[in-house]
Amino acid sequence: MPLQPGQPLLAPPLKRLHPNLLKTTYHLGDSSNHTQLCVTFQSHLFSKSKPSTIIHSGPDASFPALAYLTKEGTFSDNTYVHIPNTVGGGEEGEETVVHFRSNVVSGGGWKNIIHRFSMDLGATKRTEDFEWKMVTFGMKSEDGSYGFELRHLRDGGAPEVVATLGMGKMSLSKKFTWRLVGDGAKGVFGREWEMVALATAVRTERLEIDRLSASAS
């Protein structure tokens, strides 16, 4: 059954099925016979308002968007994540918009890649900061040799890992495995945060593909 806007996110892990990095569409699910979400990529080079990435609520692009991304500017890697909200009976309400900042740390080489976002959370009633940071060890063995951790930057305490993005081997044929862990898996941050965590993982992988393509050329 497709995931509908307003419902809780389907339980991770979500894996990319039938990977083909040259296509503008791929699918997320837990097996090849259980596709849960469809991800489509659009090319709008000179438009900041049109979606560049859409996560659909079912197995193909005919299903409504659970989340979509727009570009901050024509030549910027920064994006905005949009989460459409629904109120009772499918009535549309204000959407949640989160600014996703790419490559926020300069220096340190590719092992110091960090992408960040901040988000107002109903659970804590304040703005919380999160970052995707590249890691080259400590991933689950089935998720590959490297990837990213989504860290909750808590005031006065050590960052807590709340999601992971396994990327297989360090190559263009790598896989995508997204998990919620710690407080992220407990529903502490709410449904909108879960969708932002997934949307920023999709964007983080795309940025990594671009980086590897540039380094290989």
Side-chain angles (χ1 to χ4, degrees):
M1 179 178 179
L3 178 61
Q4 298 299 323
Q7 292 181 343
L9 192 65
L10 295 182
L14 290 177
K15 300 177 181 289
R16 185 174 60 228
L17 309 178
H18 314 300
N20 185 336
L21 301 182
L22 298 180
K23 291 185 176 180
T24 57
T25 300
Y26 67 73
H27 301 90
L28 298 174
D30 56 11
S31 74
S32 59
N33 296 320
H34 192 189
T35 300
Q36 298 174 348
L37 304 174
C38 173
V39 181
T40 58
F41 298 93
Q42 316 286 329
S43 178
H44 300 299
L45 181 60
F46 298 107
S47 175
K48 296 188 293 183
S49 60
K50 294 181 179 179
S52 58
T53 305
I54 304 174
I55 301 175
H56 300 270
S57 60
D60 60 58
S62 68
F63 288 88
L66 285 174
Y68 66 94
L69 290 87
T70 57
K71 300 176 65 174
E72 181 183 73
T74 301
F75 302 106
S76 174
D77 285 332
N78 295 338
T79 51
Y80 291 96
V81 180
H82 303 255
I83 309 296
N85 290 338
T86 57
V87 183
E91 181 183 352
E92 293 187 358
E94 291 186 3
E95 65 180 15
T96 300
V97 181
V98 175
H99 189 208
F100 187 46
R101 295 164 291 153
S102 304
N103 300 310
V104 296
V105 176
S106 61
W110 60 266
K111 289 187 178 181
N112 200 33
I113 293 175
I114 293 176
H115 313 302
R116 286 183 182 150
F117 66 90
S118 300
M119 188 173 179
D120 293 331
L121 301 176
T124 60
K125 297 183 179 180
R126 65 179 184 179
T127 300
E128 301 285 351
D129 299 321
F130 301 88
E131 67 178 23
W132 283 105
K133 181 175 175 57
M134 179 179 281
V135 293
T136 55
F137 59 91
M139 302 295 295
K140 285 182 174 291
S141 59
E142 62 266 33
D143 293 349
S145 59
Y146 92 118
F148 287 80
E149 291 179 339
L150 181 59
R151 301 180 177 187
H152 179 203
L153 305 179
R154 300 178 294 183
D155 291 338
E160 179 199 8
V161 178
V162 292
T164 60
L165 172 60
M167 304 189 73
K169 297 179 179 179
M170 198 169 295
S171 70
L172 291 177
S173 62
K174 61 189 175 300
K175 58 186 179 180
F176 172 109
T177 304
W178 176 77
R179 301 177 186 271
L180 295 176
V181 299
D183 281 350
K186 298 175 183 177
V188 170
F189 304 124
R191 172 193 170 274
E192 286 78 13
W193 176 86
E194 292 183 15
M195 289 310 308
V196 172
L198 176 59
T200 54
V202 170
R203 176 60 179 159
T204 293
E205 188 210 30
R206 203 70 171 182
L207 289 165
E208 182 64 2
I209 291 172
D210 291 345
R211 183 189 71 81
L212 290 172
S213 298
S215 63
S217 61

